[in-house]
């Protein structure tokens, strides 16, 4: 009995049990206390917060994309607009089986081309799985009806009515207007950095080039929202409130679309660029980059075949030539060299030289040839411009020196972007000794100054710069900022706000010096000038300068023979002009790639543009051919042929 008592102590066990029971009860009370405290915290202290969250789960904010603003020419012709179209979209996350099978089912109902499939695959890679991806756009009524009838067996497939951007003019003015495209990761990054991401909720597209890109903030508008009540399955029950989107503003351009088309047609099959500017305001009247492209291809993602065709074309239709094409300006640079010389007190009348047909530096036997081997006889400043005497400008450049020359002509916009309202403009090249030292780690040689005097060598300019410089000269030294948009129409009030012309530079020029240069330019299209044929029977007087820029060099003792050169190695043809000479209304720069001669190839293009703008004269035929050198020859003076050799 004693041993069994030692093994089992009822009193101790009862005590331990009661202790454990007390601890357990205490823990239960503590837990209930915590739970009650938590309930109080959630139900009382955080009531407003969780009520809002619950309401948000019941109410969804649905963004409403704004209508994009229109782009119109100066006469109200539509260049970019919006149109409602049916689109067929697949949301991958909602597809029951797999996307490819769904596409095959759709192909049994409507046409789904290989091009549609490629575009879908490309867009799907850029889109979240819960977002709709278009497989077909621009469905007709019959196609939409077929899909609607069979929609019950096509989960994840929806027909949506969407606003699509349209460019009614097609290729005409494509580099002006540009295009929109689907928002990609880079666009999202830029929108996030700028703080505008919230304004693009519900929007799929954004401006990618041209005015569509530059004026994106004006064209896009303000996104609206709907508060939509949803059920447990996430389906919309009713709209609780709505904030209407604000459409984008409309852009009104200074460009005349009829003038634009005439300029484009005047190029025929040639490649090149033309810019026409109103000198007094800087307004761009025509802006041509040939060849162009159809911006409609890019709206919903260009297919790989079309992209390859555009991107690999030898004619480079995607390059915005007025802003990104750089060319030696050739003899079109001479009027500005002349003005630099006159303002520096160099070679003012009655100064003249006897031109032997070449120029040599002191102590050097190397000959820098004139385009006319026999020379031009006695030449003063006015005649040097009219007949484009290389020898005269070789010497003038050396007398000025490269620093003084480049410093002066920079006031005419050379060597820097013009500031036109399109992104991507480059500044050309206005060479200096400092630039060469940085670029090549070499010293500047006197011979390099010689050829800069006729717009050759390292000297490079864009067509936009040539047009801008010509407009500044026509405007007597006052530089107006070039712009394509002349006014913006407010989408809410309908009021049109005209943009104020902006002076960006002003160089003081002596009236007598301006007169000499302008007289020389007027003589270019008169008997004896390098483009006399161009000015024949013109009811208005124009001030012009022809130019020819080498594409390939020739050796010192070789003669240029264009018949032996590949078409793409022929000289570029350039022409600058303004008219009427006594009261300039339009200034033009034209470059025709591999056009050979400025007066007979580029000049007639400018003449057609001026005839329509000043006289209302339309050329016969929808696509009039460009007069080539073989059918148009200059009288009294030959076409200049600049083939300068540098060693």
């Amino acid at each position: 009995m004693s041993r069994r008592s030692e093994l089992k102590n009822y009193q101790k066990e009862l005590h331990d049990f009661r202790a454990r029971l007390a601890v357990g009860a205490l823990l239960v009370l503590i837990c209930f206390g915590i739970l009650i405290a938590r309930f109080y915290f959630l139900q009382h202290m955080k009531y407003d917060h969780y009520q809002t969250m619950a309401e948000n789960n019941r109410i969804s904010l649905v963004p409403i994309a704004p209508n994009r603003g229109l782009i119109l020419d100066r006469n109200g012709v539509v260049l970019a607009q919006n149109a409602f179209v049916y689109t067929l979209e697949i949301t991958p996350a909602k597809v029951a089986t797999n996307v490819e099978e769904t596409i095959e089912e759709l192909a049994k109902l409507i046409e789904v081309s290989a091009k549609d499939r490629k575009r879908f695959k490309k867009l799907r890679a850029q889109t979240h799985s819960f977002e709709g991806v278009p497989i077909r756009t621009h469905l007709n009524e019959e196609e939409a009806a077929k899909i609607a009838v069979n929609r019950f067996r096509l989960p994840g497939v929806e027909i949506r009515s969407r606003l699509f951007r349209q460019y009614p003019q097609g290729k005409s003015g494509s580099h002006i207007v540009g295009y929109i495209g689907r928002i990609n990761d880079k666009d999202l990054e830029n929108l996030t950095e700028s703080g505008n991401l919230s304004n693009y909720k519900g929007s799929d597209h954004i401006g990618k080039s041209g005015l569509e890109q530059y004026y994106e903030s004006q064209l896009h508008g303000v996104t609206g929202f709907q508060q939509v009540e949803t059920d447990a399955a996430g389906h919309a029950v009713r709209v609780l409130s709505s904030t209407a989107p604000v459409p984008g503003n409309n852009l009104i351009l200074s460009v005349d679309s009829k003038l634009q088309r005439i300029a484009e047609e005047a190029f025929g099959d040639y490649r090149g660029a033309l810019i026409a500017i109103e000198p007094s305001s800087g307004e761009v009247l025509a802006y041509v980059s040939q060849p162009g492209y159809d911006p409609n291809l890019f709206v919903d993602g260009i297919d790989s075949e079309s992209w390859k065709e555009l991107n690999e074309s030898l004619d480079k239709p995607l390059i915005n030539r007025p802003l990104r094409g750089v060319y030696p300006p050739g003899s079109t640079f001479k009027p500005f060299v002349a003005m630099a010389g006159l303002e520096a007190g160099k070679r003012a009348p009655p100064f003249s030289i006897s031109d032997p047909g070449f120029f040599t530096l002191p102590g050097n036997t190397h000959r820098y040839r004139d385009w006319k081997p026999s020379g031009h006889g006695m030449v003063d400043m006015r005649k040097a411009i009219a007949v484009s005497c290389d020898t005269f400008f070789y010497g003038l450049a050396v007398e000025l020196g490269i620093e003084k020359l480049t410093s002066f002509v920079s006031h005419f916009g050379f060597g820097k972007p013009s500031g036109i309202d399109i992104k991507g403009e480059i500044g050309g090249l206005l060479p200096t000794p400092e630039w060469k030292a940085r670029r090549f780690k070499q010293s500047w040689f006197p011979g390099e100054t010689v050829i800069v005097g006729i717009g050759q060598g390292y000297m490079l300019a864009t067509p936009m710069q040539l047009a801008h410089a010509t407009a500044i000269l026509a405007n007597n030294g006052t530089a107006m900022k070039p712009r394509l948009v002349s006014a913006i129409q407010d989408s809410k009030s309908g009021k049109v706000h005209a943009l104020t012309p902006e002076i960006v530079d002003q160089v003081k020029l002596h009236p007598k010096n301006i007169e000499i240069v302008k007289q020389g330019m007027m003589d270019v299209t008169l008997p004896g000038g390098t483009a006399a044929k161009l000015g024949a029977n013109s009811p208005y007087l124009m001030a012009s300068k022809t130019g020819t820029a080498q594409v390939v060099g020739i050796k010192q003792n070789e003669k240029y023979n264009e018949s032996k050169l590949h078409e793409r190695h022929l000289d570029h043809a350039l022409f600058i002009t303004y008219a009427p000479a006594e009261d300039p209304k339009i200034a033009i720069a034209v470059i025709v790639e591999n056009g050979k001669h400025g007066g007979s190839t580029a000049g007639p293009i400018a003449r057609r543009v001026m005839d329509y703008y000043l006289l209302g004269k339309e050329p016969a035929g929808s696509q009039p051919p460009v007069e080539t050198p073989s059918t148009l020859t200059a009288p009294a003076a030959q076409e200049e042929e600049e083939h300068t050799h540098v060693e």
Side-chain angles (χ1 to χ4, degrees), residues 460-591:
L460 294 172
T462 65
M464 184 68 240
Q465 287 175 320
L466 286 174
H468 186 40
T470 305
I472 296 171
L473 184 60
N475 207 28
N476 299 324
T478 300
M480 308 301 296
K481 185 177 182 178
R483 67 178 189 276
L484 289 156
V485 174
S486 61
I488 297 176
Q489 183 180 31
D490 188 274
S491 62
K492 292 189 289 186
S493 66
K495 292 183 178 179
V496 176
H497 304 281
L499 302 184
T500 304
E502 180 182 349
I503 297 175
V504 292
D505 198 356
Q506 194 158 21
V507 56
K508 293 183 178 179
L509 303 174
H510 196 283
K512 289 184 178 180
N513 295 335
I514 297 175
E515 185 67 18
I516 293 169
V517 173
K518 289 188 173 183
Q519 284 294 334
M521 293 179 70
M522 285 186 273
D523 291 345
V524 168
T525 53
L526 296 177
T530 55
K533 183 78 172 182
L534 191 66
N537 303 317
S538 173
Y540 54 86
L541 186 61
M542 61 188 88
S544 313
K545 186 68 194 79
T546 57
T548 307
Q550 285 179 258
V551 176
V552 294
I554 57 174
K555 295 180 180 179
Q556 176 77 56
N557 298 317
E558 284 185 350
K559 183 173 176 61
Y560 178 80
N561 187 345
E562 63 185 38
S563 65
K564 294 183 179 180
L565 293 175
H566 186 277
E567 183 269 336
R568 293 181 183 270
H569 290 165
L570 296 174
D571 292 345
H572 296 321
L574 299 97
F575 189 77
I576 61 171
T577 186
Y578 64 86
E582 64 279 7
D583 184 20
K585 302 296 184 186
I586 183 171
I588 298 175
V590 183
I591 180 164

Side-chain angles (χ1 to χ4, degrees), residues 606-620:
R607 174 68 190 271
R608 282 186 180 142
V609 171
M610 290 188 293
D611 280 354
Y612 176 75
Y613 187 73
L614 298 174
L615 308 175
K617 180 181 177 182
E618 296 187 31

Side-chain angles (χ1 to χ4, degrees), residues 185-232:
D185 290 339
K186 184 177 180 181
D187 297 323
L188 289 173
E189 183 181 338
N190 292 336
L191 289 171
T192 302
E193 290 178 358
S194 63
N196 292 321
L197 183 61
S198 61
N199 195 36
Y200 281 78
K201 297 292 185 182
S203 296
D204 299 322
H205 296 81
I206 195 170
K208 297 287 188 177
S209 72
L211 296 176
E212 291 276 31
Q213 179 188 34
Y214 191 92
Y215 287 96
E216 173 65 25
S217 61
Q218 291 285 345
L219 291 166
H220 178 69
V222 180
T223 299
F225 290 93
Q226 281 186 337
Q227 278 192 326
V228 179
E229 184 178 356
T230 58
D231 59 19

Side-chain angles (χ1 to χ4, degrees), residues 239-269:
V239 176
L240 299 177
S241 65
S242 180
T243 301
V246 180
N249 297 328
N250 298 331
L251 303 182
I252 301 173
L253 310 190
S254 56
V255 172
D256 183 331
S257 60
K258 180 64 176 178
L259 183 71
Q260 176 77 17
R261 193 170 291 276
I262 287 173
E264 290 169 346
E265 291 175 349
F267 273 84
D269 294 330

